[in-house]
Amino acid sequence: WSSRRVLFRSVSQSRYVSVVHIGDYAFEFTNIGSIVIPDSVQTIGVRSFSNCIIGGTVSFGASLTSSQLVTIGTEAFLDSTFTGSILIPNSVVTISDFAFSGNTSANGIIRIGTSVNSIGDNAFAYTSGITRVESWATAAPAVGTTPFFGCGTSEIHVKFSATGYGSTYVGMNVIYDLDIADPKILVTQSGLKKGYNFPTGVVPMNFRKGNTSVTSVDIGDEITAIQLDAFEGCSNLTSVTFVNTSYSKE
């Protein structure tokens, strides 16, 4: 089994079969090379892939937008090991308790899809190899206890237009930059970090003039000029940092 992949393909035809549900404990305690969940799957049951040694990656559907997956069950991948990112499709509504907890081998990003409205207790806890967390849900999902405890990052990136996340969300510092194309500057204002992109590389005149809620500014290396009075009168601005790389989405 160490070199095999779970593909859910038909034996007689070169196509994916129309599996709709993967049952409770279906593949628990197995050794698998990698897993490809077909677009047709709508639910992954309790502990379906828990305690698996997965030599490769886990993919949900052909793309993040084609998958029909709605629910990832309790402890679905608990203490399983697989590499790469955890990319939740846009169709998923519920990520249950301990769904991906304990995977120390994942070494990319956690990407929460646009439709997620519930993230359970410790859903992604102890995924220490994760370097970035993104939530593309416009409204902040309801969350259980410490869903990202022990992750390898203390920040969560959300859409500039998102609501309900505040300046911290389940112990993570919130950065509002996902729907800004390659943000070049981060402004902390009223405790919120928001990303901005200036295609010309120029921060415009009076950009935050007189705004006393601005406390810090981080400026990426693609900014070539800051125009007159851009931050004049920001009396509570205590930190301006010029970084040697731009703030871009991974």
Side-chain angles (χ1 to χ4, degrees):
W1 278 94
S2 61
S3 62
R4 292 188 177 184
R5 295 194 299 165
V6 175
L7 288 168
F8 297 96
R9 283 190 184 274
S10 167
V11 172
S12 60
Q13 301 179 53
S14 181
R15 63 179 177 83
Y16 288 107
V17 296
S18 297
V19 176
V20 175
H21 172 67
I22 300 175
D24 297 349
Y25 311 99
F27 295 94
E28 188 177 26
F29 293 108
T30 57
N31 295 346
I32 303 170
S34 62
I35 299 173
V36 179
I37 306 294
D39 286 338
S40 59
V41 171
Q42 297 176 18
T43 57
I44 299 175
V46 173
R47 297 181 72 95
S48 292
F49 296 95
S50 71
N51 293 282
C52 287
I53 299 174
I54 303 168
T57 60
V58 172
S59 301
F60 298 96
S63 73
L64 295 174
T65 56
S66 63
S67 173
Q68 300 174 46
L69 184 62
V70 176
T71 302
I72 300 174
T74 300
E75 301 179 358
F77 293 88
L78 174 70
D79 290 335
S80 288
T81 59
F82 59 86
T83 58
S85 297
I86 303 174
L87 305 178
I88 306 300
N90 288 340
S91 57
V92 171
V93 174
T94 302
I95 303 171
S96 302
D97 296 349
F98 296 91
F100 296 93
S101 181
N103 181 0
T104 57
S105 297
N107 55 2
I109 74 171
I110 292 172
R111 188 251 190 210
I112 305 299
T114 58
S115 300
V116 172
N117 64 24
S118 176
I119 303 174
D121 294 348
N122 294 286
F124 298 95
Y126 303 107
T127 52
S128 56
I130 291 296
T131 58
R132 180 180 171 97
V133 176
E134 297 179 355
S135 176
W136 288 86
T138 298
V143 288
T145 304
T146 57
F148 300 105
F149 182 79
C151 273
T153 178
S154 61
E155 297 178 339
I156 182 168
H157 297 257
V158 304
K159 296 168 67 176
F160 188 89
S161 55
T163 60
Y165 291 91
S167 59
T168 59
Y169 176 70
V170 292
M172 308 277 278
N173 295 321
V174 179
I175 298 179
Y176 293 77
D177 66 347
L178 285 186
D179 46 357
I180 304 296
D182 295 330
K184 304 302 187 297
I185 185 171
L186 291 179
V187 176
T188 302
Q189 181 176 326
S190 299
L192 304 182
K193 288 186 177 182
K194 291 202 172 186
Y196 299 86
N197 180 22
F198 304 103
T200 63
V202 177
V203 180
M205 184 183 301
N206 301 326
F207 172 58
R208 284 294 179 270
K209 181 177 181 179
N211 195 318
T212 57
S213 63
V214 173
T215 55
S216 72
V217 179
D218 296 343
I219 301 170
D221 61 2
E222 292 187 20
I223 296 298
T224 59
I226 302 173
Q227 291 195 334
L228 182 68
D229 293 336
F231 296 98
E232 191 271 332
C234 296
S235 56
N236 291 311
L237 177 59
T238 59
S239 173
V240 177
T241 303
F242 291 84
V243 297
N244 58 10
T245 184
S246 298
Y247 292 95
S248 59
K249 292 177 289 183
E250 295 182 0

